[in-house]
Amino acid sequence: MAHTVTLIPGDGIGPEVTQAAVRILEATGVKFNWESFEAGAGAFEKYHEYIPKELIESIERTHVGLKGPVTTPIGGGFASINVELRKRFELFANFRPIRNLPHIATRYPDVDLIIMRENTEGLYSGIEHEVVPGVVESIKIITEKASTRISRFAFEWARKYKRKKIHAIHKANIMKLSDGLFIRCSRNISKEYPEITYGEHIVDNTCMQLVMNPYQYDMLLLENLYGDIISDLCAAFVGGLGLVPGANFGHECAIFEAVHGSAPDIAGKNLANPTAVLRSGLLMLRHLGEQDAAWKIRNALDEVYRHKDKLTRDIGGKAGTAEFADSVIEAMENPMPNPPPRPAEN
Ligand code: NAI
């Protein structure tokens, strides 16, 4: 049976990296029907809509999406397509596993850290207006419903995948009501999971603690904006933005996308690393129940990274995006005779 998946190639490096990921996903032998749609500035030029209604209808039908990055104009222009999609489909949980690929030397080896970010409200929603010229107001809404929902999701995830600790990250010393509500909700939920150690850290201290010793954390539970910023910080532990995948989960739908953006500085140059989007696709395969295909890709990635001669420039190699994808496919077609045992990984 083929899986019907909504594909949003995005812009900037999006089309290059999603095309590479799609080729590799198809080479696993799993069958896909891709329903592909533009979003953002490109879509507007053609359809006069930043998110075409056909795209919305497709996700309503497929319930699963694979998405490349979409550029959001800075300091003006249209609102973020990402924020719109997350809100529209109530994709309330943004899951970002921060894990080293074996064989890449980084400052911290063997990092295994989960970021669980609230994805629908808070300052990141960008609800703003000009009160009078020279004065603007940006509104941060935090609700008990959304804070409890993400806390519950994080603790259930921790229980299912046997994670040991969750730290809720906040600034409730200053934002006593909004961040205060967020941690009150996570604290309440934590009481139902006595096997999981619960802690709270202030966000600025968390940045320092992470850089000093990332191993002290197991799962971070964060509001939307803190999750956005700390994701990029944590990506640096494992080799950069070209490597870190993500998933946006709701109760009905899921959209898989890398942490990184459209990288205009390298777009169209065959320089982008497709690993982050590919690993997002791997999370999608697991979501679709295609465990064997997911392991094929994981083992092939291990092989390519072990040999090092086909890596992209962001991690010290010389290969282009397409060449890297070719070598992953080649490694899949010639698998190791005795692949390593599969850890219980999510
Ligand atoms: P960015 O993540 O696009 O780039 C930051 C740096 O990382 C750049 O030097 C870039 O070349 C590098 N980089 C990113 N992905 C890479 C990859 N796969 N391979 C190699 N190098 C990579 O962040 P930036 O520049 O802040 O944002 C650019 C645009 O992307 C903005 O319009 C922003 O709004 C948008 N964006 C979209 C996201 C999404 O659609 N999910 C997420 C983050 C940003």
Side-chain angles (χ1 to χ4, degrees), residues 20 57-58 76 80 83 101 110 120 126 137 163 173 199 203 205 219 225 236 238 254 259 274 279 304 328 331 336-337:
E57 286 165 2
S58 171
S80 163
V83 171
L101 277 159
D110 304 323
T120 58
E137 186 176 24
R163 308 295 302 200
N173 49 334
V203 64
N205 174 37
M219 276 182 74
L225 182 63
V238 297
V259 171
R279 287 172 114 188
V304 173
V328 176
M336 281 181 281

Side-chain angles (χ1 to χ4, degrees), residues 311-324:
L311 301 185
T312 47
R313 244 184 26 172
D314 54 312
I315 36 169
K318 291 198 174 77
T321 311
E323 203 184 338
F324 173 87

Side-chain angles (χ1 to χ4, degrees), residues 11-14 16 69-71 241 260-269 272-273:
D11 53 36
I13 59 169
E16 301 165 64
V70 178
T71 303
L241 282 167
H260 66 71
S262 56
D265 52 337
I266 56 167
K269 297 179 180 164
N273 188 346

